[in-house]
């Protein structure tokens, strides 16, 4: 959900598509080809889904590089109140 335009959201809405959004809640885990972090864009696009009332669930991976932030990750997931 790094790059999504309004016309994409329109299609998801029209066809009742429920997305599974892969999100890394730890900064700098997933980078663009240019080396920039993607987390802020993914979070902003999740807010766009929520604002439009589009259904989605969250997919995240706990691994050695994220486990130290498990509390922060789970708190953010709880705030989103989406299936995980």
């Amino acid at each position: 959900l790094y790059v999504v335009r309004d016309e994409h959201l329109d299609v998801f809405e029209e066809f009742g598509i429920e997305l599974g959004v892969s999100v890394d809640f730890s900064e700098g885990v997933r980078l663009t080809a240019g080396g920039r972090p993607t987390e802020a864009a993914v979070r902003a696009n999740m807010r766009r889904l929520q604002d439009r009332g589009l259904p989605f669930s969250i997919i995240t991976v706990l691994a050695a590089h994220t486990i130290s932030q498990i509390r922060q990750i789970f708190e953010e997931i709880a705030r989103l109140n989406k299936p995980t």
Side-chain angles (χ1 to χ4, degrees):
L1 203 64
Y2 175 67
V3 176
V4 63
R5 296 188 304 259
D6 286 335
E7 55 265 27
H8 299 143
L9 298 181
D10 294 341
V11 172
F12 301 152
E13 188 170 18
E14 179 182 349
F15 289 96
I17 302 297
E18 181 172 335
L19 298 175
V21 178
S22 179
V23 57
D24 296 301
F25 293 98
S26 301
E27 295 297 320
V29 171
R30 208 175 292 218
L31 304 174
T32 66
R36 293 183 306 253
T38 62
E39 292 81 11
V42 171
R43 284 184 174 113
N45 286 326
M46 284 193 303
R47 283 190 297 278
R48 290 174 62 212
L49 291 174
Q50 287 181 306
D51 290 348
R52 288 182 62 155
L54 296 174
F56 68 94
S57 59
I58 297 168
I59 303 163
T60 193
V61 175
L62 296 176
H65 61 284
T66 58
I67 198 69
S68 65
Q69 299 172 36
I70 192 169
R71 177 168 294 282
Q72 175 247 330
I73 291 169
F74 285 169
E75 287 172 352
E76 192 159 354
I77 288 170
R79 278 192 300 277
L80 288 167
N81 194 29
K82 294 292 179 183
T84 305

